[in-house]
Amino acid sequence: VRLSVVGEAFVERVRSVLEDLDAAILGVNELSSGHTGRLTIAAVPSAACGFVPRALARLTARYPGVRLRLLDGALQATALAVLGGQADLGIGFSDDALPGLQVELLGEDPYVLAVPAAHRWAGRRTIRLQDLGDEPMLSLAASSGNRALLDLQLAQAGIALQVTHETAHVWALIGMVEAGLGCALVPAMAMRSAPAGVAAVALRGNP
């Protein structure tokens, strides 16, 4: 999954997610002079609970006059917030251009396999996608943009998962993994705040 920043006010220089995000969002016209004002950022949940708060903490330490508002939601909600003017910029994932928005690639966030800490795979460093075919899997709901992107990549690889349970949000999905209901493919960024009862195993091959 490719992590992107979208927003009409986004400036040209985005090189390191953690080092340059604070400088990049200062390209919003309201903040470009005097470093004061209000900035609203929309982000998908894995980013909103991942690197974004850390970048915003550095931003406010450097520019205390900037007031921040962080909206977390699905990719579609993130894009619509920017298009509708409710957010100055958005952070999400997409391999495709989003009509009406300028898209800037920040980096890549690969999927990993989230497994219960007591699972037989918990101690492994890597696993092949092909090995998941007979494993009961948890997944985001079919309406999720993350699920749609993952299903497309799995179909292209000729892999069909046995999905037993679904949920709407990635944090609920990780909670279901911790409860032992199954394993799940999730963005690696989401695992940075995962509880101790969940382990991450890197994937060999796409996605």
Side-chain angles (χ1 to χ4, degrees):
V1 58
R2 297 169 67 83
L3 182 69
S4 303
V5 168
V6 295
E8 295 176 353
F10 205 79
V11 294
E12 58 180 1
R13 190 172 63 87
V14 182
R15 300 190 184 278
S16 166
V17 173
L18 292 178
E19 296 299 326
D20 291 349
L21 181 59
D22 53 352
I25 58 181
L26 288 176
V28 178
N29 290 336
E30 182 184 21
L31 305 178
S32 60
S33 177
H35 304 307
T36 60
R38 177 175 296 180
L39 177 66
T40 300
I41 300 172
V44 295
S46 57
C49 294
F51 72 90
V52 172
R54 296 193 298 273
L56 296 184
R58 286 198 300 274
L59 175 67
T60 56
R62 186 175 178 185
Y63 304 108
V66 177
R67 297 181 62 187
L68 300 172
R69 184 183 182 208
L70 177 60
L71 309 175
D72 65 305
L75 177 62
Q76 182 180 18
T78 296
L80 289 176
V82 179
L83 284 169
Q86 290 82 33
D88 298 297
L89 60 91
I91 300 175
F93 53 88
S94 179
D95 284 333
D96 302 319
L98 299 174
L101 296 174
Q102 175 184 336
V103 178
E104 186 79 25
L105 178 66
L106 280 179
E108 298 196 358
D109 185 22
Y111 285 100
V112 297
L113 180 68
V115 303
H119 195 277
R120 67 186 186 282
W121 290 340
R124 297 183 61 164
R125 296 184 60 185
T126 64
I127 192 169
R128 300 185 311 157
L129 277 172
Q130 292 82 352
D131 295 335
L132 307 183
D134 296 327
E135 186 73 14
M137 296 291 293
L138 310 175
S139 178
L140 293 173
S143 59
S144 164
N146 203 320
R147 168 73 179 271
L149 179 60
L150 181 59
D151 284 350
L152 175 62
Q153 295 182 357
L154 289 171
Q156 292 173 345
I159 297 172
L161 300 181
Q162 294 188 23
V163 176
T164 57
H165 306 293
E166 297 181 347
T167 186
H169 301 289
V170 67
W171 298 114
L173 188 65
I174 291 174
M176 292 168 70
V177 172
E178 183 184 25
L181 291 171
C183 304
L185 294 173
V186 301
M189 188 180 300
M191 290 298 296
R192 295 176 183 174
S193 301
V198 180
V201 183
L203 299 172
R204 298 200 303 270
N206 291 328

